Short mmCIF file of all heavy atoms in Angstrom, two decimals:
data_model
loop_
_atom_site.label_atom_id
_atom_site.label_comp_id
_atom_site.label_asym_id
_atom_site.label_seq_id
_atom_site.Cartn_x
_atom_site.Cartn_y
_atom_site.Cartn_z
N LEU A 1 -9.24 -2.14 0.18
CA LEU A 1 -9.09 -1.16 -0.91
C LEU A 1 -10.06 -1.53 -2.02
O LEU A 1 -10.07 -2.67 -2.48
CB LEU A 1 -7.65 -1.15 -1.43
CG LEU A 1 -7.32 -0.17 -2.55
CD1 LEU A 1 -7.55 1.27 -2.09
CD2 LEU A 1 -5.88 -0.36 -3.02
N THR A 2 -10.88 -0.56 -2.45
CA THR A 2 -11.89 -0.79 -3.48
C THR A 2 -11.63 0.10 -4.68
O THR A 2 -11.51 1.32 -4.54
CB THR A 2 -13.30 -0.51 -2.93
OG1 THR A 2 -13.55 -1.32 -1.78
CG2 THR A 2 -14.36 -0.80 -3.98
N ASN A 3 -11.54 -0.52 -5.86
CA ASN A 3 -11.44 0.22 -7.11
C ASN A 3 -12.83 0.32 -7.72
O ASN A 3 -13.33 -0.63 -8.31
CB ASN A 3 -10.47 -0.48 -8.07
CG ASN A 3 -10.41 0.21 -9.43
OD1 ASN A 3 -10.80 1.36 -9.58
ND2 ASN A 3 -9.95 -0.52 -10.44
N GLY A 4 -13.45 1.48 -7.57
CA GLY A 4 -14.81 1.66 -8.06
C GLY A 4 -14.89 2.19 -9.48
O GLY A 4 -15.98 2.45 -9.97
N SER A 5 -13.71 2.34 -10.13
CA SER A 5 -13.73 2.86 -11.50
C SER A 5 -14.05 1.75 -12.49
O SER A 5 -14.10 0.57 -12.14
CB SER A 5 -12.38 3.49 -11.84
OG SER A 5 -11.37 2.49 -11.87
N SER A 6 -14.24 2.14 -13.73
CA SER A 6 -14.60 1.18 -14.78
C SER A 6 -13.39 0.67 -15.54
O SER A 6 -13.54 0.09 -16.62
CB SER A 6 -15.58 1.84 -15.75
OG SER A 6 -14.99 3.01 -16.33
N GLN A 7 -12.19 0.90 -14.99
CA GLN A 7 -10.97 0.47 -15.67
C GLN A 7 -9.97 -0.09 -14.67
O GLN A 7 -10.08 0.15 -13.46
CB GLN A 7 -10.35 1.64 -16.42
CG GLN A 7 -10.00 2.82 -15.52
CD GLN A 7 -9.48 4.01 -16.30
OE1 GLN A 7 -9.16 3.90 -17.46
NE2 GLN A 7 -9.38 5.17 -15.64
N THR A 8 -8.98 -0.84 -15.15
CA THR A 8 -7.93 -1.38 -14.31
C THR A 8 -7.00 -0.25 -13.86
O THR A 8 -6.57 0.57 -14.66
CB THR A 8 -7.12 -2.45 -15.06
OG1 THR A 8 -8.01 -3.51 -15.43
CG2 THR A 8 -6.00 -3.00 -14.20
N VAL A 9 -6.69 -0.22 -12.55
CA VAL A 9 -5.92 0.88 -11.98
C VAL A 9 -4.80 0.31 -11.10
O VAL A 9 -4.99 -0.70 -10.41
CB VAL A 9 -6.82 1.81 -11.13
CG1 VAL A 9 -6.00 2.86 -10.42
CG2 VAL A 9 -7.87 2.47 -12.00
N THR A 10 -3.63 0.95 -11.11
CA THR A 10 -2.53 0.59 -10.22
C THR A 10 -2.45 1.59 -9.08
O THR A 10 -2.36 2.80 -9.31
CB THR A 10 -1.19 0.56 -10.98
OG1 THR A 10 -1.26 -0.43 -12.00
CG2 THR A 10 -0.04 0.23 -10.03
N TYR A 11 -2.52 1.07 -7.85
CA TYR A 11 -2.46 1.92 -6.66
C TYR A 11 -1.08 1.77 -6.00
O TYR A 11 -0.61 0.65 -5.77
CB TYR A 11 -3.54 1.53 -5.64
CG TYR A 11 -4.92 1.98 -6.01
CD1 TYR A 11 -5.82 1.12 -6.63
CD2 TYR A 11 -5.35 3.28 -5.73
CE1 TYR A 11 -7.11 1.53 -6.97
CE2 TYR A 11 -6.64 3.69 -6.06
CZ TYR A 11 -7.50 2.83 -6.67
OH TYR A 11 -8.77 3.24 -7.00
N ASN A 12 -0.43 2.89 -5.69
CA ASN A 12 0.81 2.90 -4.91
C ASN A 12 0.46 3.24 -3.46
O ASN A 12 -0.27 4.20 -3.21
CB ASN A 12 1.79 3.94 -5.47
CG ASN A 12 2.32 3.55 -6.83
OD1 ASN A 12 2.83 2.46 -7.01
ND2 ASN A 12 2.17 4.44 -7.80
N LEU A 13 1.00 2.44 -2.54
CA LEU A 13 0.69 2.61 -1.12
C LEU A 13 1.76 3.46 -0.46
O LEU A 13 2.96 3.23 -0.63
CB LEU A 13 0.59 1.25 -0.44
CG LEU A 13 -0.44 0.30 -1.07
CD1 LEU A 13 -0.34 -1.08 -0.46
CD2 LEU A 13 -1.86 0.86 -0.91
N ASN A 14 1.32 4.44 0.31
CA ASN A 14 2.24 5.39 0.92
C ASN A 14 1.77 5.71 2.33
O ASN A 14 0.58 5.78 2.60
CB ASN A 14 2.30 6.67 0.06
CG ASN A 14 3.21 7.72 0.64
OD1 ASN A 14 2.79 8.56 1.43
ND2 ASN A 14 4.48 7.67 0.27
N ALA A 15 2.75 5.91 3.26
CA ALA A 15 2.42 6.24 4.64
C ALA A 15 3.36 7.31 5.16
O ALA A 15 4.54 7.35 4.80
CB ALA A 15 2.52 4.99 5.51
N GLN A 16 2.84 8.18 6.02
CA GLN A 16 3.66 9.18 6.71
C GLN A 16 3.88 8.68 8.14
O GLN A 16 2.97 8.71 8.96
CB GLN A 16 2.95 10.53 6.71
CG GLN A 16 2.76 11.12 5.32
CD GLN A 16 2.06 12.46 5.35
OE1 GLN A 16 2.04 13.14 6.37
NE2 GLN A 16 1.45 12.85 4.24
N LEU A 17 5.11 8.22 8.40
CA LEU A 17 5.42 7.59 9.68
C LEU A 17 6.29 8.49 10.54
O LEU A 17 7.10 9.27 10.02
CB LEU A 17 6.16 6.27 9.45
CG LEU A 17 5.41 5.18 8.68
CD1 LEU A 17 6.36 4.05 8.34
CD2 LEU A 17 4.23 4.66 9.49
N PRO A 18 6.16 8.38 11.86
CA PRO A 18 7.12 9.08 12.74
C PRO A 18 8.53 8.52 12.50
O PRO A 18 8.70 7.42 12.00
CB PRO A 18 6.62 8.74 14.15
CG PRO A 18 5.18 8.34 13.96
CD PRO A 18 5.10 7.71 12.62
N GLU A 19 9.53 9.28 12.89
CA GLU A 19 10.92 8.88 12.66
C GLU A 19 11.24 7.57 13.38
O GLU A 19 10.92 7.38 14.55
CB GLU A 19 11.87 9.98 13.17
CG GLU A 19 13.32 9.71 12.86
CD GLU A 19 14.23 10.84 13.30
OE1 GLU A 19 13.70 11.87 13.77
OE2 GLU A 19 15.46 10.70 13.17
N GLY A 20 11.86 6.65 12.63
CA GLY A 20 12.24 5.37 13.20
C GLY A 20 11.19 4.28 13.10
O GLY A 20 11.45 3.13 13.43
N TRP A 21 9.97 4.62 12.64
CA TRP A 21 8.90 3.64 12.50
C TRP A 21 9.02 2.92 11.15
O TRP A 21 9.61 3.44 10.21
CB TRP A 21 7.54 4.32 12.60
CG TRP A 21 7.20 4.82 13.98
CD1 TRP A 21 7.97 5.61 14.78
CD2 TRP A 21 6.00 4.56 14.72
NE1 TRP A 21 7.33 5.88 15.97
CE2 TRP A 21 6.13 5.25 15.95
CE3 TRP A 21 4.85 3.85 14.46
CZ2 TRP A 21 5.12 5.22 16.92
CZ3 TRP A 21 3.84 3.83 15.41
CH2 TRP A 21 3.99 4.49 16.62
N GLN A 22 8.44 1.71 11.06
CA GLN A 22 8.46 0.93 9.83
C GLN A 22 7.08 0.37 9.55
O GLN A 22 6.30 0.11 10.48
CB GLN A 22 9.48 -0.21 9.93
CG GLN A 22 10.92 0.25 10.06
CD GLN A 22 11.89 -0.90 10.15
OE1 GLN A 22 11.53 -2.02 10.49
NE2 GLN A 22 13.15 -0.64 9.83
N ILE A 23 6.78 0.18 8.25
CA ILE A 23 5.47 -0.33 7.84
C ILE A 23 5.65 -1.34 6.72
O ILE A 23 6.59 -1.25 5.92
CB ILE A 23 4.54 0.82 7.38
CG1 ILE A 23 3.11 0.32 7.16
CG2 ILE A 23 5.09 1.48 6.12
CD1 ILE A 23 2.11 1.43 6.93
N SER A 24 4.77 -2.34 6.70
CA SER A 24 4.76 -3.31 5.60
C SER A 24 3.31 -3.61 5.23
O SER A 24 2.42 -3.61 6.07
CB SER A 24 5.47 -4.61 6.01
OG SER A 24 4.81 -5.24 7.09
N TYR A 25 3.10 -3.86 3.91
CA TYR A 25 1.77 -4.17 3.37
C TYR A 25 1.82 -5.60 2.82
O TYR A 25 2.75 -5.95 2.08
CB TYR A 25 1.39 -3.21 2.24
CG TYR A 25 1.55 -1.74 2.58
CD1 TYR A 25 2.76 -1.09 2.32
CD2 TYR A 25 0.52 -0.99 3.12
CE1 TYR A 25 2.93 0.25 2.60
CE2 TYR A 25 0.67 0.35 3.41
CZ TYR A 25 1.89 0.97 3.14
OH TYR A 25 2.04 2.30 3.42
N ARG A 26 0.81 -6.38 3.13
CA ARG A 26 0.75 -7.76 2.63
C ARG A 26 -0.60 -8.03 1.97
O ARG A 26 -1.64 -7.70 2.54
CB ARG A 26 1.00 -8.77 3.75
CG ARG A 26 2.43 -8.77 4.25
CD ARG A 26 2.72 -9.92 5.19
NE ARG A 26 4.11 -9.92 5.61
CZ ARG A 26 5.09 -10.48 4.93
NH1 ARG A 26 4.82 -11.12 3.80
NH2 ARG A 26 6.34 -10.43 5.37
N VAL A 27 -0.51 -8.60 0.76
CA VAL A 27 -1.70 -9.00 0.02
C VAL A 27 -1.58 -10.49 -0.27
O VAL A 27 -0.62 -10.92 -0.93
CB VAL A 27 -1.83 -8.22 -1.30
CG1 VAL A 27 -3.00 -8.74 -2.12
CG2 VAL A 27 -2.02 -6.73 -1.01
N GLU A 28 -2.51 -11.27 0.28
CA GLU A 28 -2.51 -12.73 0.11
C GLU A 28 -1.17 -13.34 0.50
O GLU A 28 -0.63 -14.22 -0.16
CB GLU A 28 -2.88 -13.10 -1.33
CG GLU A 28 -4.27 -12.62 -1.73
CD GLU A 28 -4.59 -12.88 -3.19
OE1 GLU A 28 -3.69 -13.38 -3.90
OE2 GLU A 28 -5.73 -12.60 -3.61
N GLY A 29 -0.59 -12.82 1.60
CA GLY A 29 0.65 -13.37 2.14
C GLY A 29 1.93 -12.80 1.56
O GLY A 29 3.01 -13.05 2.09
N SER A 30 1.86 -12.02 0.48
CA SER A 30 3.05 -11.45 -0.16
C SER A 30 3.18 -9.97 0.20
O SER A 30 2.19 -9.25 0.22
CB SER A 30 2.98 -11.61 -1.68
OG SER A 30 2.92 -12.97 -2.04
N GLN A 31 4.41 -9.55 0.47
CA GLN A 31 4.65 -8.15 0.81
C GLN A 31 4.67 -7.31 -0.47
O GLN A 31 5.32 -7.66 -1.45
CB GLN A 31 5.97 -8.01 1.56
CG GLN A 31 6.19 -6.62 2.12
CD GLN A 31 7.33 -6.58 3.12
OE1 GLN A 31 7.59 -7.56 3.80
NE2 GLN A 31 8.02 -5.46 3.20
N VAL A 32 3.95 -6.19 -0.46
CA VAL A 32 3.83 -5.33 -1.65
C VAL A 32 3.98 -3.87 -1.25
O VAL A 32 3.89 -3.51 -0.06
CB VAL A 32 2.46 -5.53 -2.34
CG1 VAL A 32 2.27 -6.97 -2.77
CG2 VAL A 32 1.32 -5.10 -1.41
N THR A 33 4.22 -3.03 -2.23
CA THR A 33 4.18 -1.58 -2.06
C THR A 33 3.19 -0.94 -3.02
O THR A 33 2.88 0.23 -2.90
CB THR A 33 5.57 -0.96 -2.28
OG1 THR A 33 6.05 -1.34 -3.57
CG2 THR A 33 6.54 -1.43 -1.21
N SER A 34 2.71 -1.74 -4.00
CA SER A 34 1.69 -1.28 -4.94
C SER A 34 0.94 -2.51 -5.44
O SER A 34 1.43 -3.63 -5.33
CB SER A 34 2.31 -0.52 -6.11
OG SER A 34 3.16 -1.36 -6.85
#
């Protein structure tokens, strides 16, 4: 993920999953959603 703007930005991560599926995001070993 690249922030090409000239200011600090908060990104929220979102996914459209089939029913019953699960997703997790990890940044430097820690689980995050944003």
Side-chain angles (χ1 to χ4, degrees):
L1 181 61
T2 303
N3 176 19
S5 66
S6 59
Q7 59 184 348
T8 299
V9 174
T10 298
Y11 285 98
N12 292 307
L13 303 172
N14 179 270
Q16 296 180 20
L17 299 170
E19 185 177 356
W21 290 52
Q22 295 180 339
I23 189 171
S24 62
Y25 309 90
R26 290 189 178 274
V27 174
E28 298 175 357
S30 299
Q31 188 167 330
V32 301
T33 56
S34 63

